[in-house]
């Protein structure tokens, strides 16, 4: 059976096509493979053996991509970690991997040094891009681990996901088909490198024969540079689209496909973006570290949403080709845990299905609609309440800029609904009574928030997802009812 190594070597060996594109240099596919050979030789000189995990504190760059490929091609598994995480979290992850050392880029020396001290391991710094060397010739099997990616940790500590060659090779086919990407295309991601939208997309894009425009972090100028370098496919989150629109910079790059995720796009944002990027196809892809993509909201769906069906934007689309999605243990409203079956699923239960931890339902047209995480479900006096529904009701209030909903303990009801609100105008935030009156017109009375907290911004992880577990603490407003 094919491994990811087989795919990438067949596509790029002896190829003069661009694989890595920056403002300063272009690496052909063949050069990238030989620089990956140089990275593999460096890992060997440090004592890393085939089969070992290699924790890495690197942001996306040509060097980081060469290091990633060098590890996989030589039978090792790079485990990129968030360069902005606390040293204690990094040390915990390193110890969990049973690693002998950490490798880091020069930009991450300070945090890497502290993490290595806490974990009791050595630190090695990759100061320069790897020089060319022989491409590793290590026999890999489909069951070998190619890369290790940690979950985002929105509901707890990040967990390592072991990505094996079999599923990684299948992901190249499934994801590439959903994005319509292939040879001659140029891809750039705004996701951090340690995230599945970062490093895992490197494997996907190169496996499809497309090139990468590395981007360490999102910035307005980085977006513009991608435009100058001919980006054809890109990954953003909706807040980034809003930022680009606000700066009148969205049109400075004109990708053929703009993929977004992590959150729904606001109808007004979509309308403005479609007006600016008239030849760009918008695609929302829903997935998680353990399996992605699961569903896709296509460009045609976005056009229908913009013209007549804005409710479609609150869905995550329909299952992608080759993927089954079902709702398990639905309640009276048809809402239950989403389970997924597909060839690119890295973590499954014994029956081959992945219980995602996401709550949702599938409507009559086949669109999957989320209602939050299993652990986010609020049970008030025996009634199920799903945060997403309450958030959608509150976000339609003109004074609400952003909102997240959580359940907090209550002696009488077991749990009550708490809304954490970022006001449009910090000097004139909406009152609890005002928000309750607005919500009662849109949702059942028992779902209306009993508590509100006004904040300057919501805590989010590097992927743009709200860290709900940090919002359950004391409220600045009073409970009612």
């Amino acid at each position: 059976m094919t491994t990811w190594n087989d795919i990438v070597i067949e596509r790029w060996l002896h190829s003069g096509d661009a694989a890595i594109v920056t403002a300063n240099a272009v690496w052909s596919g063949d050069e990238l493979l030989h620089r990956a050979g140089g990275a593999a030789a460096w890992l060997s000189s440090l004592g890393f053996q085939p089969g070992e995990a290699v924790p890495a504190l690197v942001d996306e760059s040509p060097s980081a991509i060469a290091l990633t490929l060098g590890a996989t091609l030589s039978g090792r598994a790079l485990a990129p970690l968030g360069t902005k995480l606390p040293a204690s979290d990094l040390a915990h992850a390193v110890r969990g991997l049973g690693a002998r050392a950490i490798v880091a880029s020069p930009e991450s020396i300070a945090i890497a040094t502290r993490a290595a001290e806490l974990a009791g391991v050595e630190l090695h710094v990759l100061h320069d891009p790897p020089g060319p060397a022989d491409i590793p010739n290590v026999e890999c099997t489909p069951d070998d681990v190619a890369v290790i990616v940690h979950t985002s940790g929105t509901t707890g500590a990040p967990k390592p996901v072991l990505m094996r060659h079999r599923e990684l090779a299948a992901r190249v086919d499934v994801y590439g088909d959903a994005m319509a990407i292939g040879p001659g295309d140029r891809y750039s991601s705004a996701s951090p490198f340690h995230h599945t939208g970062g490093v895992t997309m490197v494997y996907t894009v190169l496996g499809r024969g497309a090139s990468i425009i590395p981007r360490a972090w999102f910035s307005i100028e980085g977006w513009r540079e991608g435009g100058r370098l001919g980006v054809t496919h890109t990954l953003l989150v909706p807040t980034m689209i809003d930022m680009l629109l606000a700066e009148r910079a969205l049109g400075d790059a004109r990708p053929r496909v703009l993929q977004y995720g992590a959150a729904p796009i606001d109808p007004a944002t979509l309308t403005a973006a479609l007006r600016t990027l008239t030849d760009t196809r918008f695609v929302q892809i829903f997935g998680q570290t353990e399996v992605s993509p699961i569903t896709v909201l296509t460009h045609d769906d976005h056009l229908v949403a913009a013209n007549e069906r804005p409710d479609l934007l609150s869905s995550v689309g329909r299952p992608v080709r080759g993927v089954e999605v079902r709702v398990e243990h639905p309640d009276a409203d048809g809402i239950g845990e989403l389970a997924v079956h597909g060839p690119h699923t890295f973590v499954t239960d014994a029956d081959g299905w992945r219980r995602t931890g996401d709550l949702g339902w599938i409507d009559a047209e086949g669109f999957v609609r989320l209602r939050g995480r299993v652990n986010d479900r609020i049970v008030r006096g025996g009634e199920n309440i799903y945060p997403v529904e309450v958030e959608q009701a509150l976000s339609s209030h003109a004074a609400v800029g952003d909102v997240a909903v959580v359940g907090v303990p209550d002696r009488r009801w077991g749990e009550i609904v708490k809304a954490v609100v970022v006001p449009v105008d910090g000097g004139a935030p909406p009152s609890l009574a005002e928000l309750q009156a607005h919500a009662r017109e849109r949702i059942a009375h028992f779902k209306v928030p009993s508590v509100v907290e006004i904040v300057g911004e919501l805590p989010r992880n590097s992927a743009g997802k709200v860290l709900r577990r940090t919002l359950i603490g004391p409220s600045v407003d009073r409970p009612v009812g």
Side-chain angles (χ1 to χ4, degrees):
M1 184 176 286
T2 301
T3 67
W4 183 84
N5 287 359
D6 297 330
I7 293 173
V8 76
I9 289 177
E10 180 179 355
R11 172 63 187 85
W12 292 107
L13 185 62
H14 305 310
S15 171
D17 294 343
I20 304 294
V21 179
T22 71
N24 300 316
V26 175
W27 289 358
S28 70
D30 194 68
E31 180 177 2
L32 174 59
L33 289 180
H34 282 88
R35 286 184 178 271
W42 182 66
L43 291 173
S44 294
S45 72
L46 302 178
F48 285 104
Q49 301 299 313
E52 283 194 72
V54 183
L57 282 167
V58 293
D59 293 320
E60 188 167 277
S61 67
S63 294
I65 294 172
L67 180 65
T68 302
L69 267 63
T72 301
L73 291 172
S74 61
R76 303 173 177 94
L78 201 78
L81 302 173
T83 57
K84 296 187 183 300
L85 291 177
S88 56
D89 287 2
L90 295 171
H92 177 78
V94 171
R95 287 192 294 266
L97 294 170
R100 67 170 63 226
I102 298 174
V103 300
S105 64
E107 296 79 11
S108 300
I109 286 178
I111 187 67
T113 299
R114 181 61 181 148
E117 290 173 351
L118 291 175
V121 300
E122 293 182 276
L123 170 64
H124 304 288
V125 180
L126 182 61
H127 286 283
D128 300 305
D134 290 342
I135 301 170
N137 185 22
V138 174
E139 188 71 27
C140 289
T141 73
D143 291 321
D144 287 336
V145 178
V147 64
I148 301 172
V149 181
H150 286 73
T151 61
S152 58
T154 56
T155 56
K159 301 182 294 294
V161 176
L162 308 183
M163 297 188 170
R164 304 182 189 280
H165 279 268
R166 177 184 290 103
E167 291 77 24
L168 196 59
R171 177 189 158 105
V172 169
D173 181 46
V174 177
Y175 214 122
D177 184 64
M179 284 184 63
I181 189 170
D185 291 328
R186 295 187 175 186
Y187 176 86
S188 185
S189 172
S191 289
F193 191 62
H194 71 282
H195 187 261
T196 186
V199 65
T200 319
M201 289 306 299
V202 167
Y203 289 88
T204 302
V205 171
L206 291 175
R208 293 288 293 189
S211 60
I212 297 172
I213 301 173
R215 188 188 311 178
W217 294 95
F218 171 77
S219 68
I220 302 296
E221 179 51 36
W223 172 259
R224 288 172 171 149
E225 181 177 83
R228 292 191 292 269
L229 295 175
V231 63
T232 64
H233 292 66
T234 192
L235 170 61
L236 300 174
V237 298
T239 53
M240 296 172 183
I241 300 174
D242 282 325
M243 291 171 60
L244 290 165
L245 285 167
E247 293 293 323
R248 298 187 178 182
L250 184 62
D252 292 340
R254 295 188 172 272
R256 192 167 70 253
V257 175
L258 192 158
Q259 172 197 346
Y260 71 91
I265 191 169
D266 184 88
T269 298
L270 175 62
T271 298
L274 286 170
R275 189 181 300 121
T276 302
L277 300 176
T278 55
D279 295 323
T280 297
R281 299 183 66 83
F282 286 74
V283 175
Q284 183 200 159
I285 288 182
F286 164 64
Q288 53 185 205
T289 307
E290 295 87 350
V291 52
S292 183
I294 297 174
T295 61
V296 59
L297 194 69
T298 67
H299 182 66
D300 288 343
D301 295 331
H302 282 86
L303 294 179
V304 172
N307 291 319
E308 56 190 271
R309 292 278 308 279
D311 67 286
L312 291 183
L313 298 181
S314 64
S315 82
V316 290
R318 299 181 178 99
V320 299
R321 178 180 60 84
V323 171
E324 297 177 74
V325 179
R326 69 188 186 196
V327 179
E328 295 191 341
H329 310 297
D331 64 12
D333 296 319
I335 298 171
E337 183 174 8
L338 299 178
V340 178
H341 186 274
H344 59 308
T345 309
F346 296 108
V347 180
T348 66
D349 293 325
D351 61 356
W353 284 77
R354 164 73 186 166
R355 274 76 193 179
T356 64
D358 287 306
L359 290 167
W361 59 289
I362 303 173
D363 69 18
E365 297 175 282
F367 289 95
V368 177
R369 297 178 179 271
L370 301 182
R371 284 295 179 265
R373 299 283 293 170
V374 170
N375 292 335
D376 295 339
R377 177 167 40 193
I378 303 164
V379 183
R380 181 187 184 273
E383 298 276 10
N384 289 334
I385 301 171
Y386 302 99
V388 172
E389 181 183 9
V390 184
E391 290 165 358
Q392 289 172 348
L394 294 175
S395 64
S396 63
H397 191 289
V400 174
D402 203 359
V403 60
V405 166
V406 294
V408 294
D410 180 79
R411 178 178 294 184
R412 179 181 177 187
W413 297 105
E415 282 186 297
I416 55 175
V417 178
K418 172 183 176 179
V420 183
V421 173
V422 179
V424 172
D425 180 357
S431 68
L432 173 63
E434 187 180 351
L435 291 173
Q436 288 177 325
H438 182 82
R440 285 192 187 100
E441 296 177 356
R442 292 160 176 80
I443 54 178
H445 72 91
F446 66 88
K447 301 176 182 179
V448 172
S450 298
V451 177
V452 67
E453 180 177 355
I454 303 298
V455 298
E457 63 179 0
L458 297 179
R460 297 179 183 272
N461 65 15
S462 56
K465 296 181 180 179
V466 175
L467 296 169
R468 294 181 188 274
R469 67 182 185 276
T470 68
L471 301 176
I472 301 176
S475 169
V476 298
D477 213 323
R478 63 191 184 283
V480 299

